[in-house]
Structure formats: C-alpha cells, structure tokens
Amino acid sequence: MSRSLGSLPPEPAAETVASRLGAVAQFLRRALPLCQAHTVEFYTRGLWEQLVALSPETVLEALSGAGLLRQQQRPLEEAAGTFSNVFCENSQKLVNVQFFALAAKHHSLPSLEVCTPLEQMLGALSGKQHERCEIKTDEFMNYKKSHEVQMMSELIDSIANFCGVKQVIDLGSGKGYLSSFLSMQYNLKVYGIDSSNTNTYGANERNRKLKKHWRAYQSRARANVRGQVLEEPKDRAVQDEMKCSANISEKLLSTKNSLLSQDQMASSDSVPLEITGALTDSAMLKTREQTETHLVAQTQSDGNKISENAFSLLNILPADAVEAVSSSKYNVELCEEEKEQRKMASIKAKANKSNDSNIYLPLTSYITAETELRDIITDLEDCIMVGLHTCGDLAPNTLRIFTAKPEIKAVCSVGCCYHLLTEEFENQKDCSPGLWGFPMCRYLKEEGWCCGRNARMSACLALERVAVSQVLPTESLFYRAVLQVIIEECYGVIKSDRHVGKIFSKSSSFVDYVRKSLKKLELDESKLPDSCIMDYYEKYKHRMIELEAFNMLKVVLAPCIEVLLLLDRLCYLKEKDNIAWSGLVKLFDPVKSPRCYAVVALKK
C-alpha cells in the first residue's frame, strides 16, 4: 500500500531552486576561467600569470590542509559585500584567495539550503523512526562500494514501500552490486540494465557467487550466535564453580583450625590437612557434577533462543536468494513429523524459486531518452528507476525517462563522470535542438550556458578528500605539463588525437616518462638526448609550486560547478507538472564517495 504524499518532508520551492541556481551561475561566470583551461597547457599558455595575481605560496598557505579547513569553517557573514573583490575588475585575475574560498563555500550545496537530510527523508517515507540496517556489505564489496550500496539501498527500499511497488530498474547497473543487494536483502525484483555485455556477464557470475557468499555469511553468523549463547552459561558455570570451591575451602579451613585448637594435646599422629584436602576434593567434585548438570539443562532451555537468533539473518533474504541449509548438523535426531514438515517446506521453496527466478536479471542495452522500456522489459509494471553513479548523459536521460513514462513512479539518481556530458552550447557550430546532457532547465537554456569539458572534469575533483590531507597527484600533472612544452617546442605539435594515458606510474624517472610518452604519441624520441630532456625538467622544476597552487584553486571551485549541474537537473524536474515531490538528498560521506548527492523525485 502506498502512503500519502502529504507525509513527505518539505521540498525546496521551484522559485528557491531557481534563485539559488541563478546565484551560482553568476559567481561561476567570473570564476569558471580557472577551470576551463587544462593543466596540460599550464606552462605553454602561462595560466598562472594569465589568471592569478598572487604568489603560489600565498594561495597554498590559505588553501592547503588546515588552511583550507579554516576557510571552510569561517562564517559566511564575513563574506558579505566582498564577493565583488575576489577578482580584479580590469584584469579579471584572482586577487583575494580568502574571499574566493568563502564565495565558493557560499555557493556550495550545504550553504544553499536546498538539500533534504537523508534521515528526515527515510523517516518520512517509512512513517516512523528509521532503524539502520546491520548487514555488513563490505565482506563482498570494497569499502567505498559497500558504503554506497548500503546507504542507497535503504533509501530505494523506503521509496518502493512508500509507492507500493516491488519492481526496480537500475540503469547503468555495471557490476550489479546495487541490484544484487536490493534483490537479496529487500526482496525487490530488479532489472539491471547496462550497455556493456562484459558487465552483464560479470554481473550474472557475481550474483551467482554472491548467493553462495550469503550462505557462507549466514553460516558464520549462526556459529557466532551459537557460540555467544553457549559461552555465557559456560563462563558463569566456571565462575560459580570456582567461587563455590573457594567458599568450601574457607569453611573447611576454619573447621580444621578449630579442631586443632581443641585436640592439640590429644594425638600428634592426626592428619587434619589430609582430611581437609580429601573433603575439599570431594566437595569440589560434587559441585562440578551439579554445575555440569545445571549447564546442560540451561543449554537445552536456551535451544529455542539459539535457533531464533541463528536464523534471524536468513529472514532478510528472499526464499530464492539462497539455498536451504541443512539443519542436521545442529539436531541429532528429528521426529518423522518434523522431517515431513521440513520436506514440504523445501518443496514449496523450490516451487517459489522456479516461479520467480528473475528476482535480479542483468540485461544489456544502450539507454537513451527515447528508449522504449517495454522493448527491453516485457513485464514492465509500476516501478521506480534508480542509478548509482550513472555516467555522463545517462543521469539526465534517467530523469527524462522518469518524467515521460507513467509506469515509473519515482526516481533516485546519483550521477558521475560529468566530463562525459554532452553540452548544447559547447560547440557553436552544432547547436541543433536535441536532448543534450546539459543544460536541461529552461533558465540555463535561455542563457545559453556552457561549462566546457575541462570545467566539467574539474567538477569531479574531491574537495573533502583534499581537505583531510589526501593530496593531489601534483608530480604526475607536472610531468605531463612539461611534456607538453617539449612536444610543442621540439616537435611543433600543438594538438594531437592521441593520448599519453597512465604512463607516470610505469616510469622510473622523468626521462623514462618522456621517452615512453613520445613513443605512444608516435613521435621520434631518438632526436632528444637525455640531457635535453633533463634541461626542460630543471627549467620548470621550481615552478611546480604554481601548478600545485593552481590545482588547489580548481579543487575549491569544484563543488560550485557540481552544484550548477545538479540544480539544473532539479530545476528541470520542478518545471514538470506530473512531479509531486523533488529534491536533492546527500546519500554518502563525501570523503568515502565524493559524488554523494542523489536527485530524488516522486510523481503525483
């Protein structure tokens, strides 16, 4: 049964979202040039001298490590009336790095107050205080993916229950981690659609192995619970035995002393110590027998509790997600009636499995905004559409499909790979009407807004990770920037269709890096002696700090570019008449998973 939309948390008004989007766009008009140039061209185009009027040391002192955290923690009121002083009016260069950091913070999602807290969303969807799941998914996923799947699956399940649906379509499902978990833990019928046959095949194999892992995981949980239940009575029994033995020894020792004082003159051949020892041993033996008898009785009385706890994990999985585990290990003998009951239950479980074998079905298809889902999913019914880190245009197309298809009652989409988005106004020669990845909303379309690929690439940078001292790979960027100088000055090549790729990690030195890169670019590396290559390195070595500072500026600006892309998508949903609720929800810890915001919407 679906619940009333009136129980959902307050959503940001369309006017509020549009106003915030306009403010971010205005700030980025001044700041975006810092991110529109590629660091490959840093030295060849003189980007530092062209865009920054400060020393690199000043920038790094303000933004590196603790300095960046201090800037992020300053109150926004300090920036009032100062944003116009961030850049020089004449040269357009950056002149105040402190105000730049404050302005970037002011135009980030936490400061714009347009996000709905996850706990508030979960509580509203379920109608009660939300209790977080205890399953540890990091046993079969890496730490980052485990965090993402755990958090997102809870929200998806809550939305599905709220809408009264059981079918989920996972677009860009990749390796199937989210789809598998939704089907196994929440008993949802999931169709995972990916454009790669390799991913689909891998998802099928991974799902098969994952089911085995669930069985092993349950066996370990059962053993742990059994051990915990039995260990406590055993420990108590040993402690009681020791305590009882000590009390008996004390009493007998007291009796011995009394006898000694009374019979001290009687006979020198008496052996009270041996008598006492024999009595103590006898008492301890009797006590141990009584304790063991009590322990056996206690263990038997706890049998039902053991069974209940040991199989509690099994209850969260559908009948066809795992195979039945034989209980013959734990019950020495079953009566004929119980055997027959278990046999019938097993037959029923297998029948259910054969009737509903596609609780998770990976499919291969390239999805666009015009894709007809019924051509892919023959039993399409009322459902929700989800996507965990859907690349490029797939994220905006997910929203377009959601608004166009009446069967899709809700959407929960987390995008990524912004550099793969298509932009309507990026190539002025090709501004033909069509379904572009950006912009989506009317306001930015009317403004003819364009970020450019380099700026969208910068939007993928992780400010929070850098803020906690997870530094940028400056040396590899420096190698590439100096290589570009060599390519242009020694070979006359300004642009090339070929890419250097990930050669830095495979190189033993700068000379080795340059030679491997030239070979990959199909340039004659024999014309350059090692000494010439090293001359370039020495010439620019002292300017590596400029590149480091420049990249820190891009990192600080990155969240603002991401805000522009996300608010564009949210504004698009606000423009649709059939949407009852839409908002942004912060799903993940940004240090663990930098692309952490979900676009969530429900239809009327």
Side-chain angles (χ1 to χ4, degrees):
M1 291 286 294
S2 60
R3 298 179 59 242
S4 169
L5 289 168
S7 60
L8 289 173
E11 64 175 323
E15 297 77 12
T16 301
V17 176
S19 173
R20 301 291 194 270
L21 178 60
V24 173
Q26 183 178 1
F27 170 63
L28 285 178
R29 283 191 184 95
R30 300 292 301 273
L32 207 58
L34 288 168
C35 292
Q36 286 179 325
H38 203 291
T39 50
V40 165
E41 306 168 319
F42 185 76
Y43 296 121
T44 57
R45 288 183 52 189
L47 294 183
W48 187 262
E49 297 85 353
Q50 179 183 336
L51 298 172
V52 186
L54 301 165
S55 70
E57 291 83 3
T58 300
V59 172
L60 286 177
E61 182 181 358
L63 300 183
S64 295
L68 178 58
L69 288 174
R70 285 197 301 270
Q71 297 302 328
Q72 294 295 304
Q73 292 168 358
R74 289 175 65 182
L76 294 177
E77 290 75 10
E78 293 185 23
T82 63
F83 290 166
S84 60
N85 299 325
V86 174
F87 298 94
C88 175
E89 291 295 331
N90 297 323
S91 67
Q92 306 299 311
K93 293 183 180 181
L94 176 68
V95 294
N96 192 314
V97 67
Q98 287 83 9
F99 288 154
F100 171 77
L102 272 179
K105 176 186 176 183
H106 179 75
H107 295 100
S108 64
L109 277 177
S111 302
L112 294 176
E113 298 180 344
V114 292
C115 290
T116 302
L118 176 60
E119 292 301 329
Q120 182 182 0
M121 190 72 183
L122 291 171
L125 289 169
S126 63
K128 58 184 179 180
Q129 184 67 32
H130 180 74
E131 295 182 3
R132 193 160 300 286
C133 177
E134 297 294 334
I135 300 301
K136 294 183 179 180
T137 56
D138 54 1
E139 290 202 12
F140 45 90
M141 305 178 201
N142 64 44
Y143 184 64
K144 176 178 178 292
K145 185 60 66 178
S146 172
H147 173 68
E148 294 164 353
V149 168
Q150 186 91 15
M151 303 303 291
M152 190 167 183
S153 62
E154 288 184 81
L155 179 57
I156 292 170
D157 178 61
S158 297
I159 295 173
N161 288 332
F162 184 89
C163 296
V165 302
K166 295 294 290 183
Q167 190 178 88
V168 177
I169 301 174
D170 182 6
L171 295 187
S173 54
K175 297 179 179 180
Y177 288 120
L178 177 64
S179 297
S180 296
F181 195 70
L182 286 171
S183 67
M184 287 188 174
Q185 174 145 334
Y186 295 106
N187 201 18
L188 294 167
K189 187 172 185 178
V190 186
Y191 287 94
I193 305 177
D194 197 88
S195 62
S196 168
N197 268 317
T198 303
N199 278 346
T200 302
Y201 175 79
N204 264 315
E205 286 299 299
R206 192 171 290 104
N207 190 54
R208 180 179 61 81
K209 296 175 182 178
L210 185 56
K211 289 179 180 179
K212 293 182 179 180
H213 185 99
W214 276 103
R215 292 194 294 274
Y217 182 81
Q218 291 164 8
S219 297
R220 288 197 302 274
R222 183 185 298 111
N224 290 338
V225 171
R226 181 182 176 87
Q228 290 172 2
V229 172
L230 290 176
E231 191 66 29
E232 289 185 7
K234 183 178 179 180
D235 290 343
R236 286 198 302 268
V238 172
Q239 293 172 1
D240 291 345
E241 179 181 336
M242 293 176 63
K243 184 176 180 180
C244 183
S245 299
N247 290 337
I248 293 174
S249 297
E250 289 177 3
K251 290 179 180 179
L252 291 175
L253 182 61
S254 176
T255 302
K256 179 201 72 155
N257 291 336
S258 176
L259 289 172
L260 280 175
S261 60
Q262 293 176 13
D263 299 335
Q264 187 172 10
M265 302 300 295
S267 173
S268 60
D269 295 331
S270 62
V271 283
L273 286 178
E274 294 178 8
I275 295 174
T276 301
L279 289 172
T280 302
D281 290 340
S282 176
M284 289 180 63
L285 180 59
K286 184 176 182 180
T287 301
R288 184 179 295 111
E289 291 174 350
Q290 293 173 347
T291 303
E292 289 174 353
T293 302
H294 171 73
L295 177 58
V296 170
Q298 180 67 32
T299 302
Q300 292 174 347
S301 67
D302 287 339
N304 292 333
K305 181 179 178 182
I306 296 172
S307 177
E308 180 183 350
N309 291 338
F311 289 93
S312 60
L313 187 60
L314 188 61
N315 294 332
I316 69 169
L317 300 178
D320 58 353
V322 294
E323 295 177 3
V325 180
S326 173
S327 59
S328 59
K329 300 176 185 177
Y330 312 109
N331 299 288
V332 178
E333 186 175 352
L334 298 175
C335 66
E336 290 301 321
E337 182 180 358
E338 188 171 356
K339 286 181 180 179
E340 186 64 25
Q341 290 175 351
R342 296 197 177 196
K343 181 179 179 181
M344 294 303 297
S346 177
I347 293 174
K348 185 177 180 180
K350 290 180 180 179
N352 290 337
K353 184 173 182 178
S354 63
N355 292 333
D356 190 14
S357 59
N358 293 332
I359 281 189
Y360 166 45
L361 180 62
L363 303 170
T364 302
S365 181
Y366 184 80
I367 301 296
T368 68
E370 293 91 357
T371 297
E372 181 53 59
L373 290 177
R374 288 197 179 275
D375 293 340
I376 306 170
I377 304 172
T378 56
D379 64 337
L380 182 67
E381 58 189 49
D382 286 355
C383 62
I384 65 174
M385 182 167 280
V386 303
L388 172 55
H389 291 156
T390 49
C391 291
D393 283 358
L394 185 55
N397 283 339
T398 297
L399 303 182
R400 290 190 174 105
I401 296 172
F402 160 68
T403 59
K405 305 299 180 184
E407 298 90 349
I408 306 174
K409 303 304 180 183
V411 67
C412 181
S413 172
V414 182
C416 72
C417 302
Y418 300 132
H419 60 291
L420 297 179
L421 284 170
T422 58
E423 285 199 66
E424 182 174 357
F425 304 105
E426 185 172 16
N427 186 353
Q428 295 300 322
K429 296 180 181 179
D430 185 19
C431 290
S432 57
L435 299 176
W436 302 85
F438 177 84
M440 296 185 72
C441 72
R442 285 195 294 264
Y443 169 71
L444 293 184
K445 281 181 174 291
E446 292 169 357
E447 293 286 318
W449 238 95
C450 174
C451 291
R453 188 180 188 278
N454 291 332
R456 285 183 277 111
M457 179 76 82
S458 296
C460 298
L461 296 172
L463 171 63
E464 289 80 6
R465 286 185 175 180
V466 176
V468 294
S469 300
Q470 299 184 31
V471 295
L472 289 168
T474 303
E475 188 175 19
S476 63
L477 297 174
F478 173 72
Y479 274 26
R480 183 63 185 88
V482 177
L483 173 66
Q484 190 65 24
V485 177
I486 295 174
I487 291 171
E488 292 191 16
E489 292 186 358
C490 299
Y491 296 90
V493 177
I494 304 299
K495 288 188 176 180
S496 174
D497 294 333
R498 298 184 176 275
H499 299 281
V500 171
K502 299 179 180 180
I503 290 181
F504 176 80
S505 60
K506 304 171 186 176
S507 304
S508 58
S509 65
F510 180 69
V511 172
D512 187 37
Y513 172 83
V514 170
R515 296 205 177 281
K516 287 179 178 177
S517 299
L518 293 175
K519 288 180 181 178
K520 189 167 185 179
L521 296 172
E522 296 186 351
L523 298 173
D524 183 12
E525 52 97 13
S526 64
K527 66 182 292 185
L528 286 181
D530 289 356
S531 59
C532 180
I533 295 174
M534 285 306 299
D535 285 344
Y536 277 100
Y537 179 84
E538 294 296 331
K539 179 181 179 179
Y540 288 96
K541 181 174 64 174
H542 70 284
R543 296 183 59 188
M544 188 188 299
I545 190 175
E546 294 176 0
L547 183 58
E548 182 181 358
F550 191 76
N551 278 304
M552 284 300 301
L553 293 173
K554 295 174 70 173
V555 166
V556 171
L557 194 59
C560 301
I561 306 173
E562 183 176 31
V563 167
L564 186 78
L565 302 175
L566 292 176
L567 290 185
D568 171 55
R569 297 171 186 179
L570 184 57
C571 276
Y572 167 81
L573 292 174
K574 297 292 182 183
E575 294 167 0
K576 301 301 177 182
D577 294 332
N578 61 341
I579 306 301
W581 192 97
S582 58
L584 296 174
V585 178
K586 185 178 180 181
L587 278 183
F588 313 134
D589 179 343
V591 176
K592 299 175 184 176
S593 182
R595 306 282 73 77
C596 60
Y597 290 98
V599 179
V600 179
L602 292 86
K603 283 182 181 168
K604 294 178 180 176

